[in-house]
Every structure is written in C-alpha cells, then in structure tokens.
C-alpha cells in the first residue's frame, strides 16, 4: 500500500532549519561593527594598542620630569641666559666692547648704535634680513692690526655672546660692527603628548664651551 | 539474493539515513559555531577589561603630567636656550679670519670684512716673491681669491690688493 507523506514526517527538518536561522542571525551580529561584532572588536583592539603605546610614552615622560632637579635646571637657565639674554643686551654689549678695547690697549674714538628704525629708513630689505636686531658700531684708534686682533679675540670671548658682522681697518683706525645675540623666552605650552628630548649631553657640551668665556666686568 | 522488502520500506530506510546524516551535520556545525561564538565573546570581555584599565592608566598619567606642567615648561625653555646658545657658540669667530690674513711676511694696510660677504685686503710685502708666497697661502683657504692692483712704492715695498671670496 502506497503511503502519502504527512506533515509530521517533515518535523525533523525544524532542527537544521532553526540552527541555520540562528547562525545567520547571530552571525550577522558577530561579524558587524557592534561591540560584540568582529569589526568592532578589531578596532577596539587597535585603540587599546594605541592607548597602551601612548601610556608608555607618558610614563617615560613622567619618569624624566620627576628626575629633573629644578634648582639645577634654573641655575643652567641662568647661565645660558647670561650667554644669550632674553632681551636686547644693548648696554651689556657696549660694556663688552669697551672692556675688550681696554684690554687690548685700543682707544675708543666713537660709538654708535643703529636701531631698527634707522635701518628701516635706509632699506626695507635690511629690516627683513636683520629682523629684531640692533647693530652696534665702535670706532677704535689702534696702533697695529695685531691690536685689532687682540680686541676681536677679547670681544669674542665675552658674554653676552655677540656676532661681529663687519670690520673696516685702515692703518691706525678700525670700525667694528657687532650684533648682540639675544632670543626671547619661549612660551611653549606644556603639551601632554608633546615629547621631551633628552638634551643633557648637548647642555653639557654648551656649558663646557661657555667656561672659556667670561662676563665683562662692567656688568 | 532476492530483495524481499517492499519498495516502500526501502524508501523509508533511505530517508531515515538522510535524516540522521543531516541531524549529525547540523549538531557538528552548531557545536563548532557555539565554540567560536564563545571565543569571540570571551575576547570581547577581555578587551573590555583591558580598555578600562588602559583608560584609567591614561587618566592618571595625564593628571600627573598636569601637576608637572611647570617643570615641563622650564625644561622646554632650557632646551630652546641650549639650542640658541649652541648656535651662537658655533658661529665663526672673526678673529680666526684675521689670523688667516695677518701673516708675518706682510703688513696689512687695510682689511674690510663683512659677514657673509667678500673681504677686501691691501697688504705690503718686500717683493713680488714674498707676495706670491702670501697669496699662495691664502688660496688654500680662499680658492676664488681675486688679485687686484699691484703697485710698487717709491720706498721699495710692493702693495697688492686682494678680494677674498
């Protein structure tokens, strides 16, 4: 006798179909961008890695800053500011030039300070070139070129540091033009993520070199 | 052998085998899927905890850095000043330029030095050979040296004008 298939005979299909639906629905969630989804987890993992690296950098920075001896750093700053002041050292440079002349036995005949205004009137290009600088000119009465050499050597070993930008020597007289070095204080904001480089070695070299220089007694 | 089972019975057995195979396969897939899903959820829990701890750590470090801001500002100023002073110290000394031109065999009549420009020089020597030796020495430091007017003085000395580039 030929039996026709009843609805009950297909009940076994409910199990595989239910599993299929479960996998499709939950798989959609697990592969998406939700907090439980694969993409979401991968991006979370990357964020954790980035944060960990940042945390490591910040730890290093904290360690460095905690190791800083503030009083010693302030003292270093004071020494370096004597070498390159934070404002135009006009009077200090005059004192240095006079002292260098006195040491070399030269006589100061004339002294002139050329301010930015004067340069501006003369040439707009000069202002661009010189920036916020002041030229100082000294005219000396000297006995020989060796005396001029002595003057320059003395001047270039005095603090604050200055740059000799011109010398005009003819028998018995010399005009020396100097630009005093100065640099305003940097108001750098303390950026949490801004790294601090270890400049200890550079500082030691600079301090070592500065030992060969002296402040002019006129200061 | 003679198949004594009726055809209908045979079909039922076939369907029964298919049913068992499908059920086993479904169970296998389900078990594998559940294991993978549990693994992913475990990883999610782990990442969640790690994210929390890293975030806490960062907050505490940021707070400590804010407390150390004045020290940081001082160090940045110091770093900048070291750079500025280092550059100033490295600048060329003009006295060294003068030492190059001021040689014992000649006397310098005039010397004009301009930073970044050429130097104009007039020197007196006892004779052309002395001046030639002198110019030869200068050429080592100034290969593009230009020789200008050479004159003989009534007193016997020779004057040479030079441009050092």
């Amino acid at each position: 006798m030929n039996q026709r298939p009843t609805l009950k005979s297909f009940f076994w299909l409910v199990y595989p179909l239910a599993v299929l639906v479960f996998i499709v629905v939950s798989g959609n969630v697990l592969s998406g961008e939700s907090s439980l989804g694969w993409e979401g987890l991968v991006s979370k993992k990357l964020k954790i890695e980035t944060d960990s690296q940042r945390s490591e950098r910040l730890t290093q920075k904290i360690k460095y800053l905690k190791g800083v001896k503030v009083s010693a750093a302030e003292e270093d700053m004071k020494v370096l500011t004597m070498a390159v002041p934070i404002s135009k050292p006009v009077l200090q440079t005059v004192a240095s030039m006079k002292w260098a002349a006195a040491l070399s036995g030269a006589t100061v005949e004339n002294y002139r300070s050329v301010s930015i205004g004067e340069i501006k009137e003369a040439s707009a290009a000069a202002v661009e070139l010189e920036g916020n600088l002041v030229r100082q000119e000294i005219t000396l009465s000297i006995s020989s070129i060796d005396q001029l050499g002595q003057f320059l050597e003395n001047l270039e070993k005095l603090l604050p540091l200055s740059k000799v930008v011109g010398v005009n020597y003819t028998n018995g007289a010399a005009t020396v033009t100097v630009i005093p070095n100065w640099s305003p204080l940097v108001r750098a904001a303390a950026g949490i993520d801004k790294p601090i480089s270890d400049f200890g070695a550079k500082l030691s070299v600079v301090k070592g070199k500065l030992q060969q220089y002296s402040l002019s007694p006129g200061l | 052998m003679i198949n004594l089972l009726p055809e209908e019975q045979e079909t039922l057995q076939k369907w029964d085998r298919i049913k068992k195979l499908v059920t086993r396969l479904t169970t296998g897939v389900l078990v594998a899927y559940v294991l993978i899903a549990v693994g992913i959820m475990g990883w999610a829990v782990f990442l969640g905890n790690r994210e929390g701890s890293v975030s806490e750590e960062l907050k505490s470090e940021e707070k400590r850095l804010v407390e150390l801001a004045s020290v940081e500002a001082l160090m940045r100023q110091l770093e900048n000043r070291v750079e500025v002073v280092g550059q100033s110290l490295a600048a060329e000394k003009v006295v060294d330029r003068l030492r190059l031109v001021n040689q014992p065999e000649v006397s310098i009549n005039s010397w004009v030095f301009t930073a970044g420009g050429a130097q104009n020089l007039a020197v007196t020597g006892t004779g052309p050979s002395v001046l030639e030796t002198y110019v030869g020495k200068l050429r080592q430091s100034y290969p593009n040296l230009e020789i200008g007017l050479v004159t003989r003085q009534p007193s016997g000395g020779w004057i040479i004008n030079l441009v050092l580039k």
Side-chain angles (χ1 to χ4, degrees):
Chain A
M1 196 174 90
N2 198 359
Q3 235 181 352
R4 285 180 65 82
T6 60
L7 188 63
K8 201 180 170 186
S9 60
F10 291 104
F11 271 9
W12 66 274
L13 276 174
V14 170
Y15 173 54
L17 283 175
V19 167
L20 185 70
V21 168
F22 170 68
I23 287 175
V24 168
V25 171
S26 63
N28 203 30
V29 173
L30 287 179
S31 65
E33 287 179 21
S34 69
S35 61
L36 266 180
W38 182 256
E39 280 178 37
L41 290 178
V42 168
S43 69
K44 189 184 269 186
K45 182 181 174 277
L46 288 175
K47 189 184 174 292
I48 290 169
E49 277 172 6
T50 313
D51 285 353
S52 297
Q53 285 165 1
R54 182 170 175 244
S55 169
E56 211 167 287
R57 284 196 303 271
L58 296 188
T59 307
Q60 288 294 320
K61 192 172 165 179
I62 290 167
K63 195 178 162 193
Y64 175 81
L65 290 175
K66 282 192 131 184
V68 168
K69 287 176 182 145
V70 176
S71 57
E74 281 170 348
E75 191 56 40
D76 288 339
M77 189 69 187
K78 204 172 148 189
V79 170
L80 296 181
T81 308
M82 276 182 208
V84 178
I86 56 171
S87 58
K88 286 175 208 168
V90 178
L91 294 175
Q92 291 99 312
T93 309
V94 173
S96 292
M97 287 168 120
K98 280 184 175 173
W99 180 244
L103 280 179
S104 60
T107 313
V108 178
E109 294 292 339
N110 193 17
Y111 172 80
R112 203 161 70 101
S113 182
V114 186
S115 71
I116 295 165
E118 287 174 62
I119 294 170
K120 200 173 183 177
E121 280 168 27
S123 151
V127 177
E128 277 174 34
L129 283 172
E130 302 299 341
N132 202 11
L133 300 171
V134 175
R135 282 171 177 265
Q136 304 197 22
E137 221 172 77
I138 190 166
T139 305
L140 303 164
S141 175
I142 51 172
S143 59
S144 68
I145 189 92
D146 294 325
Q147 202 173 35
L148 173 65
Q150 199 57 53
F151 168 79
L152 290 173
E153 189 166 6
N154 293 332
L155 183 66
E156 291 184 325
K157 285 286 176 196
L158 287 173
L159 300 179
L161 297 166
S162 55
K163 185 175 167 56
V164 177
V165 292
V167 181
N168 195 336
Y169 166 82
T170 46
N171 281 328
T175 303
V176 179
T177 310
V178 168
I179 292 179
N181 287 334
W182 73 283
S183 174
L185 213 56
V186 175
R187 296 272 177 217
I192 284 176
D193 286 297
K194 216 171 160 189
I196 289 188
S197 56
D198 191 358
F199 55 92
K202 224 173 184 178
L203 175 64
S204 299
V205 171
V206 167
K207 277 167 70 183
K209 281 184 183 172
L210 282 177
Q211 281 177 351
Q212 298 162 15
Y213 292 74
S214 59
L215 276 171
S216 67
L219 299 174
Chain B
M1 204 168 89
I2 302 160
N3 189 358
L4 298 172
L5 281 170
E7 198 184 326
E8 193 178 312
Q9 194 69 17
E10 210 173 296
T11 310
L12 279 174
Q13 278 183 352
K14 208 170 147 186
W15 271 111
D16 204 41
R17 279 202 301 275
I18 291 170
K19 234 162 62 179
K20 276 179 184 164
L21 181 69
V22 169
T23 308
R24 273 184 201 147
L25 268 175
T26 307
T27 308
V29 168
L30 182 64
V31 166
Y33 179 80
V34 166
L35 285 176
I36 291 168
V38 165
I40 289 173
M41 282 190 281
W43 192 42
V45 170
F46 167 76
L47 286 182
N49 289 339
R50 180 97 183 93
E51 190 182 31
S53 69
V54 170
S55 166
E56 281 300 310
E57 211 175 304
L58 273 176
K59 270 184 200 160
S60 128
E61 282 164 347
E62 282 170 0
K63 196 180 159 197
R64 281 163 80 188
L65 279 170
V66 168
E67 287 163 8
L68 290 165
S70 60
V71 181
E72 187 182 345
L74 174 65
M75 294 316 282
R76 289 201 187 284
Q77 283 175 355
L78 189 58
E79 184 182 8
N80 173 265
R81 194 69 22 188
V82 167
E83 200 60 43
V84 167
V85 175
Q87 281 171 9
S88 297
L89 287 171
E92 188 193 28
K93 304 280 180 239
V94 177
V95 70
D96 294 332
R97 294 281 191 119
L98 180 58
R99 281 192 189 117
L100 269 175
V101 297
N102 190 17
Q103 298 291 327
E105 65 266 31
V106 294
S107 71
I108 296 175
N109 303 333
S110 72
W111 177 56
V112 178
F113 164 85
T114 312
Q119 293 175 59
N120 292 296
L121 187 64
V123 298
T124 305
T126 50
S129 60
V130 171
L131 292 179
E132 207 178 311
T133 312
Y134 175 70
V135 169
K137 278 186 195 174
L138 285 183
R139 260 195 217 285
Q140 289 172 12
S141 303
Y142 302 100
N144 300 323
L145 172 152
E146 281 176 13
I147 298 174
L149 199 65
V150 182
T151 50
R152 188 171 186 274
Q153 288 180 305
S155 56
W158 290 71
I159 297 175
I160 188 167
N161 288 280
L162 300 166
V163 179
L164 310 182
K165 290 177 178 175

